[in-house]
Structures are given as C-alpha cells and as structure tokens.
Amino acid sequence: MLTEEPAAQAVLDEVRWRLPESARLLDRGATRFLAFVLGCTPTGAAPLGAGAFRALGAAELRATGDLDRLHRALTAGARRALPVLVRSADFAGAVERLLAGVDAIARLASEGARAAVAGDRGRARARLLAELGKSRPAALDELARQAGWRLPDTVVAVALDVGEPRIADGVLCDLCGPEPWAALPAAAPVPDFGVRAAIGPEVVPEDTARSLRWARRTLSLLRRGVLPDTRAVRWDDHLTTHWLLADDVLRSALETSSLAPLEVLTRTARERAAETLLAFLTTSGSAPEIAGILGVHPQTVRNRLRTLTTLFGDRLHDPEERFGLEISLRARKLRPAG
C-alpha cells in the first residue's frame, strides 16, 4: 500500500502538466481520493475529493467541448505511474488497480461533464423563458440554441397555479417565481402540470408575452370562481367571458347605467327581477317559456314582467337598449357572489 499515494501523485502531476488551466482543481484532497481508489481499501469511508474530478470534467467540457484531452492526460498519467508501481510487491495487481482507478476517475469526470451540460442548459432555458416573457424579446434564436430547445413556429404560454407544479419534457418552465408559468410549442399536447393551468392563445414566439397575459387573466377568472374549476382551461373556450369582463371600470359603468332602475327593489327582489329580465331578453318573451327556464309559475313571471315594464318602460322593446341590458346582465351574472 506504500506505492498508492506516489502513484496517485504521479498520475495527477501528469494531468496537471497537460491541463494547466485546471491544475488548481486537483488539490491534496484529489490526490488522497485517487490513492484510496488505487488502494482498494475495503474498510473506511472514501476521503473527500471525488468532486474535484467532477469539476475537472465540467471545466474540460466547457474549455474544449469534449473530454478527449482529459482522457489522453489520464492515459499519460497512468504510464507515468508505472515506474512507481515496480516497487510494489504485487506489480500485476497494482497495475490492474491503477487502470481501474484511472477508469473510475474518467467516469467521475464524465458525470461532472453531464451535470455541467444539464446545468448550463437549465440556465440557458431560464434565460430563454425570461426573454420570451418580455414584450420585445431579443436574440431568441441564439438563446434557443444554447438551451437546446428548438424554437417552434408558434407557442402557447401556460399560467400555473401555486403549489408544486411538475416539470414536463420539452417545456420551458419557471416554477420558482411568484407567478409560475411555462411555454411550449403550440402543436404539442399540454401536459398535466399537477396544478390548475390556464392556456393562452397561440402566437409566434416573439408574442409569447401576449399569450402569457391572457393565460394569466384566464387563471385569475378561474381562481375567482368565474370559470368552472377544472385542472386545465383554455382561454379561447371563454372568449365571451373575457370580453364581458375585460375592463372592470367599463363593466361597472355599463351595469350602473343600464340596470339603475333595479336599485329601487330589495336585494332579493332585485336578483329575481334580473334573472327574469335576462330570460325575457333571450327568449320569445312568453310567460310560460320564461317560467320553464326559471322554474316558477307563469303567473309569477307575469307579475315580475309588469314590474319590469314599470321600471324600464319602452327600453324593453328598443333593440339597442335591449342589447345593452343583456350585456350588463350577463356580465353581472358572471361575477362571483360577494
């Protein structure tokens, strides 16, 4: 066992000489770790130092694009260590352990290189997604290349509810921000993210921010109880709702102006009158038909219609007024209670 540490030192001296820019990574801990591997010690925990070889693989990959130079340096290091092993009582066994140790170091370097690729790609994907979320994104082609993500012709943005969303393959995700979201090719199926999700309109990549804006508006309506509480909802399944609730100030002003006559009624009577008025505007106006829709007696409908005629007068028969009333009533109906 006396030759293991000198042999490890010989291997790493050669690697340091051939890879001078990475020599600082191969410290005393790396030497002790390689000596441990060469010694095949059956007991005791391995000393710290494996991380140095993972870092070496990552550094070499970033410097040259592959690990060929590192592998050549390790092979040369093994040859340099052979004279040291001549003093070993079990030369053949020592050589076998040397080759196995160098192979183990090469595997650690490969692990580090793969982790570096994954980390670099993850950071590039985060930069790409951040750029897509801007109103005027730039350099999308280059960022997509760095991220290893083929930029599609069109994309959709997906606004995600808080919780623990799942990451899906082929999808760019920001799960750490206060408003999690994702972007994916429009032609791809939307995966199950594990939380409520709202899908925005299909747009070119440069307009992803617009898709995200509508996705987040849809998610907001979902959270407020305006839309049915489903795991995934598409914005274009509720275009009328978006239109009616697009501007709260405008909607409120329209309701106040159109439905002001109802304010003289009690709250309960006002609700009944509003539902009866909407049914009147959207049907032929006959009492039996409206009664069937509301589930009340036709005479009850006739009484309510007389009240509505008193409150609204000729507005009930003016096409433009009827249109304004219907819009106001539908928008009012969409608002959640309270």
Side-chain angles (χ1 to χ4, degrees):
M1 305 291 263
L2 297 177
T3 59
E4 277 73 18
E5 187 156 342
Q9 187 66 54
V11 171
L12 297 187
D13 282 346
E14 185 69 18
V15 174
R16 292 188 190 98
W17 182 75
R18 289 175 176 265
L19 309 177
E21 63 274 23
S22 299
R24 59 180 179 78
L25 299 173
L26 302 177
D27 55 11
R28 180 64 180 166
T31 303
R32 284 196 296 267
F33 180 83
L34 181 54
F36 175 86
V37 173
L38 297 182
C40 298
T41 306
T43 59
L48 298 177
F53 299 105
R54 295 190 181 96
L56 181 65
E60 189 63 13
L61 183 70
R62 292 191 177 110
T64 66
D66 57 46
L67 300 183
D68 290 347
R69 191 172 67 154
L70 173 57
H71 290 155
R72 291 195 298 271
L74 288 172
T75 300
R79 288 198 299 268
R80 181 169 175 172
L82 287 176
V84 178
L85 298 180
V86 171
R87 300 193 296 271
S88 174
D90 180 14
F91 178 72
V95 171
E96 185 177 343
R97 290 192 295 273
L98 172 65
L99 297 178
V102 169
D103 185 61
I105 295 307
R107 287 198 301 273
L108 288 172
S110 296
E111 288 177 12
R114 287 194 297 271
V117 169
D120 291 347
R121 183 163 292 177
R123 287 186 287 273
R125 290 193 169 199
R127 291 194 298 271
L128 173 59
L129 188 64
E131 197 65 32
L132 285 169
K134 296 179 180 178
S135 57
R136 294 183 178 180
L140 292 181
D141 289 331
E142 176 58 21
L143 286 172
R145 186 194 65 76
Q146 294 173 8
W149 197 72
R150 181 179 175 276
L151 201 64
D153 293 333
T154 56
V155 301
V156 292
V158 183
L160 303 173
D161 208 353
V162 293
E164 297 183 2
R166 291 193 290 262
I167 298 177
D169 292 337
V171 177
L172 301 177
C173 293
D174 174 11
L175 306 183
C176 299
E179 296 183 282
W181 71 288
L184 66 152
V190 178
D192 181 2
F193 289 98
V195 296
R196 288 187 299 190
I199 301 99
E202 178 179 347
V203 296
V204 295
E206 291 76 10
D207 286 340
T208 303
R210 180 164 61 89
S211 181
L212 177 60
R213 183 168 62 254
W214 282 106
R216 283 177 170 161
R217 286 182 64 88
T218 305
L219 182 62
S220 175
L221 294 176
L222 186 63
R223 288 170 172 166
R224 287 162 54 190
V226 175
L227 301 182
D229 190 4
T230 56
R231 178 62 67 88
V233 59
R234 291 184 174 275
W235 88 293
D236 51 357
D237 288 339
H238 304 279
L239 295 180
T240 301
T241 301
H242 278 296
W243 179 63
L244 291 173
L245 301 181
D247 189 303
D248 286 341
V249 174
L250 181 60
R251 175 194 52 73
S252 179
L254 182 61
E255 283 186 38
T256 301
S257 173
S258 298
L259 305 179
L262 296 177
E263 294 303 313
V264 300
L265 303 176
T266 64
R267 180 175 180 178
T268 300
R270 187 163 61 243
E271 294 300 323
R272 291 172 178 169
E275 68 176 6
T276 304
L277 178 56
L278 182 58
F280 170 78
L281 294 171
T282 56
T283 64
S284 64
S286 69
E289 184 179 359
I290 296 173
I293 293 172
L294 301 181
V296 298
H297 194 277
Q299 187 57 43
T300 300
V301 172
R302 293 187 185 96
N303 293 336
R304 292 182 187 177
L305 288 177
R306 280 194 290 271
T307 300
L308 290 171
T309 300
T310 301
L311 294 174
F312 290 92
D314 292 340
R315 292 178 62 189
L316 296 182
H317 306 288
D318 181 280
E320 187 171 340
E321 289 288 347
R322 286 171 64 96
F323 179 68
L325 286 170
E326 183 177 347
I327 291 176
S328 299
L329 288 165
R330 288 188 179 279
R332 184 176 185 272
K333 187 176 181 181
L334 285 171
R335 287 188 285 116

